[in-house]
Amino acid sequence: MSGPRLGVVVNPVAGIGGVVGLKGSDGARVQAQAHQRGAVHRSIDRTRRALSVLAAQAPTCHVVTVAGPMGEQAVPAGLSATVLGGTARRATTADDTRRACARLLDHGIDLLLFAGGDGTARDVLDVVGERCPVLGVPAGVKMHSAVFGTSPVTAGRTAAAYLVSGARLAPAEILDLDEAGVRAGVVRPRLYGALNVPVLPGVQGRKVGSSAAETADAAAIAAAVLDEMTDVEIAVLGPGTTVGAVAQRLGVTGTLTGVDAVDLGTGQLLVADAGEQELLAAVRRRRCRVLLSPLGGSGFLLGRGDQQVSAMLLREIGTDAVTVLATRSKLAALGGAPLWVDTGDAEVDSALSGMHRVLTGPGEYMIQPVLPADEAFAPQRA
Amino acid sequence: MITFPQRDGHARDFHQARWNEQLIFDLGSPGERGVVPPASEPAAAAAGEPVRRSLRNRRNAAPRLPQISQPQVLRHYLRLSQETLGADLNIDIGQGTCTMKYSPKVNDTFVRSPEVSAVHPLQPVDTLQGLLELIHRLERMIAEISGLHSVTLQPGAGSAAIYANVSMVRKYHAVRGESHRDEVITTGFSHPSNAATAKTAGYKIITLQGGPDGYPTVEALRAAVSNRTAALMITNPEDIGVFNPHIAEFVRIVHEAGGLCVYDQANANGILGITRAAEVGFDICHFNLHKTFSTPHACGGPAAGACAVTEELAPYLPSPVIVRADDGRFDLDHDRPLSIGKVRPFYGVTANLVRAYAWISSLGAEGLRQVAETAVLNNNYLLKKITEIDGVTAPYAEGHHRIEQVRYSLADLHEETGVSSGDFGVRLGDFGLHYWTSHHPYSVPEPATIEPTESYSRAELDEYVAAMRTVAEEARTDPEKVLSAPHRGPIHRSGQDAMDDPETWAVTYRAYRHKYLGEQPPEVPRWIPPAGLPAKQRPPRAAHR
């Protein structure tokens, strides 16, 4: 067994709620409901499609997977496979996914191909982190994370290209929505962390541009925004990789999913992964600027995963101290849709609303509308 | 009544030549020559020697040019030409935004005539009256077509014309003491050269994104304008073929803020003879003669651009301008203190000015309008046919007609089959057809931009659609065939990574020898400024990617 080793994990219930209009598949009750509505397990088929492409393009590749619907059933004839333990149940849980990932990692794999949606990506993130490169076969309902191939076929093709020729790795944001909220007409996406994905043409956030160009663009944005903040003492850095590039340029270790404050005078990180009170203490009576970037796909700017940047904080430093950063491809992917804010304070939301200049590069801006989220996601308009 | 046969187009059974031709540097042998000139007479050589020695910049060694004889050169380039899909060879409607139209061959005969080919730009103007008259007449034609007052034909390309435009904007504000205006507004679907040239000229770029109809809202524009606004630089119809009906209001808002309005009419193919830059109050516009007025694209040049301006901005045009004296003679006016100066030596790309003049003259006003009407009709015929292909849509302004081009989306086909628009285009090459996606980043997912112009017959449009339909079917039944294309082209698939990564590029043979063969490039002698030369003040270095 000398070829490259591909770990395969399928979430058999992924996507089951989507086709029957349940907006997701999290939880046993929703899955049972989906079965009642006649849903089928499509993630196994989609994985098989990806692996068939892989078999043709990387025939020496060896699959490492678990038994039953979580992997073995999706391996097409012609691919050699090692099957570790597993479950015969189709109604698998998040724990099953995590356990399977841990088994494959222990066995040793060069790339993990998982099939599912954002929920599955989160489970993979919990276990895999930075231990192994990851690629997703798009099979879920919600797929805002930047870890998926653009289709099952491209996922297979990309996995083959990576295993045969290798590629640079780049962190991809893992986002998820609260499904109960979506069903009630409220979108609450959150950034959970990042997985390493191969930088190849077929991989991208399903709604965001290529990760290679994104990294370069984010670095240019970071340089530009620091040039513009000559009279600012404290920079509050929101979540995400775009704002993360600012921390990187400043040479401090920021928190990808949290909010940090940096003293630009000394270049010191004041507080990392700060809560509202810590931020309030850091910014008091200082000239401040808050750097935010919208969540890819949904366009949420405030109120989803960054509640620390609270209405009280924004009242303290002024809503005009907010600078929005985004790569051009991230904005382009919104297709003209607005950015959303939801601080829980109607007055602050309204002050933040209107047309904003989003910094997209050195001396480059895009005009982007910002709206209070409750205006947009009212259930009757869903 | 004439009836036309109803025919379905067929994808062609095509195969392109594959020559595996080496680089010309790898052909030939040392000492091989195309022409061996006779040796100089000893007396002549002796007479020349002092001059030769007096040359300060004489090279020490001969340049490393290819050494190859005539027949091999001819075969080399003929082979390469068989490995391309140019506008004279394929149904070149897949290069949207580029306005690939027929360049009538008869116009080349005028360019080859001695009145054009045998004159020298340094001749006294008294001996160039015919050529000056032709350029002057072409200027007046462009003025009429745009509705504006004065025209220059000096720029050597479309983007050079836009750069001339933004230079005039900069000078105009500087003369009025308004150099604080440091922002240029453009739109996401305007041709990217607008943002690029303005950035090069030192401006900040504010981009308005298209709304649901494809063009930006008036509110977005209002949020962008201020006393920092130098200009609005906009394409209309935009690169997705949608015309912004609020353009007059856009111009008014920018004028009220003190900015100038610059119309990118590189491609005016959908509106020739129908509307003009002047009708909505634009101050400046430009045309690419190779887009709108049929001169050849020539693989990236030489092209020619025309800039047209209002009477108020005429003093800022590049120098010199051609003037006509009372006695009817033409002269060059260099005495223009407000001019932005030269944008290209001498008269511009004269050969293309002659071709454009011939093309416009052969059509007349009615003919120009017919060009636009035919181009728009062809485009809407294609819109209907192409959106009938399963998996292909035309986002934005749904249900409406388009002007001269459409940016389609293959997102549905991609989702279903894994075949991206880029893959699709490569496979279309197997049917002898060229196909382009769009500028980056993609605002339309999996885009394809098709622009048929007036130069293609219905049978040709049908053939193109048939080939697209064939590839779309293959994507469903045999995606591997599409993904591994080209199968009948001159090369196998090239890696996109190599195209995107500057580390792999070698744009000259010297760079190739350095990067790939490991040769050290020769030390280039550096220019040393004479003592006492004042150092030029330069702006701080900009942040680059």
Side-chain angles (χ1 to χ4, degrees), chain A residues 248-264:
Chain A
Q248 209 169 14
R249 192 164 178 98
L250 286 169
V252 299
T253 311
T255 342
L256 180 65
T257 56
V259 180
D260 311 313
V262 182
D263 186 324
L264 293 181

Side-chain angles (χ1 to χ4, degrees), chain A:
Chain A
M1 192 167 61
S2 58
R5 292 199 280 194
L6 175 73
V8 173
V9 172
V10 178
N11 173 4
V13 294
I16 200 165
V19 270
V20 289
L22 288 172
K23 301 201 169 69
S25 321
D26 295 355
R29 201 179 55 82
V30 170
Q31 287 162 21
Q33 217 176 333
H35 278 294
Q36 269 172 22
R37 293 197 191 179
V40 291
H41 297 267
R42 59 178 199 145
S43 58
I44 300 171
D45 286 341
R46 287 170 84 84
T47 310
R48 195 177 297 117
R49 259 158 79 190
L51 291 177
S52 303
V53 173
L54 179 112
Q57 299 189 358
T60 64
C61 169
H62 183 79
V63 169
V64 182
T65 187
V66 290
M70 286 194 69
E72 191 184 8
Q73 287 180 13
V75 180
L79 265 183
S80 67
T82 299
V83 179
L84 310 172
T87 172
R89 280 179 297 123
R90 283 210 158 186
T92 57
T93 64
D95 272 342
D96 291 323
T97 306
R98 291 189 202 109
R99 257 198 302 274
C101 288
R103 273 209 188 104
L104 301 188
L105 284 178
D106 289 345
H107 186 81
I109 50 175
D110 300 305
L111 174 73
L112 176 67
L113 187 75
F114 76 92
D118 285 332
T120 319
R122 273 174 61 191
D123 300 335
V124 171
L125 174 70
D126 288 345
V127 177
V128 176
E130 293 184 355
R131 292 169 64 191
C132 170
V134 172
L135 183 61
V137 176
V141 179
K142 308 155 295 160
M143 286 176 289
H144 294 91
S145 305
V147 71
F148 297 101
T150 52
S151 75
V153 178
T154 44
R157 228 186 335 151
T158 308
Y162 176 72
L163 292 172
V164 172
S165 316
R168 207 160 56 74
L169 300 175
E173 293 183 349
I174 303 303
L175 307 166
D176 197 11
L177 309 175
D178 164 17
E179 283 184 11
V182 178
R183 272 180 220 111
V186 185
V187 177
R188 288 204 193 94
R190 263 206 68 165
L191 175 63
Y192 286 90
L195 284 166
N196 283 324
V197 297
V199 180
L200 286 168
V203 196
Q204 45 189 220
R206 291 176 54 75
K207 294 167 184 170
V208 181
S210 93
S211 40
E214 289 281 295
T215 309
D217 287 353
I221 291 169
V225 75
L226 287 171
D227 278 353
E228 286 189 6
M229 292 198 298
T230 46
D231 60 340
V232 175
E233 294 171 294
I234 307 291
V236 175
L237 308 181
T241 47
T242 311
V243 179
V246 178
Q248 209 169 14
R249 192 164 178 98
L250 286 169
V252 299
T253 311
T255 342
L256 180 65
T257 56
V259 180
D260 311 313
V262 182
D263 186 324
L264 293 181
T266 64
Q268 296 299 306
L269 186 64
L270 289 178
V271 273
D273 204 4
E276 182 192 28
Q277 291 307 317
E278 287 170 292
L279 290 173
L280 278 170
V283 304
R284 193 148 287 145
R285 285 193 285 279
R286 306 290 297 271
R287 284 190 304 276
C288 299
R289 196 140 271 282
V290 180
L291 307 185
L292 297 173
S293 188
L295 281 177
S298 68
F300 257 101
L301 192 60
L302 266 176
R304 297 294 180 265
D306 53 5
Q307 280 87 348
Q308 307 92 310
V309 184
S310 64
M312 196 187 291
L313 181 77
L314 292 167
R315 280 178 185 276
E316 171 75 24
I317 60 175
T319 50
D320 54 357
V322 172
T323 296
V324 184
L325 320 174
T327 58
R328 289 202 302 152
S329 50
K330 200 184 227 181
L331 290 181
L334 293 175
L339 305 180
W340 310 108
V341 289
D342 180 14
T343 64
D345 180 328
E347 215 174 273
V348 171
D349 284 356
S350 150
L352 286 165
S353 297
M355 293 289 178
H356 272 245
R357 273 189 187 201
V358 178
L359 184 74
T360 57
E364 293 171 23
Y365 309 84
M366 275 197 185
I367 303 290
Q368 194 74 26
V370 174
L371 286 176
D374 47 4
E375 272 185 29
F377 292 111
Q380 68 271 17
R381 288 175 57 191

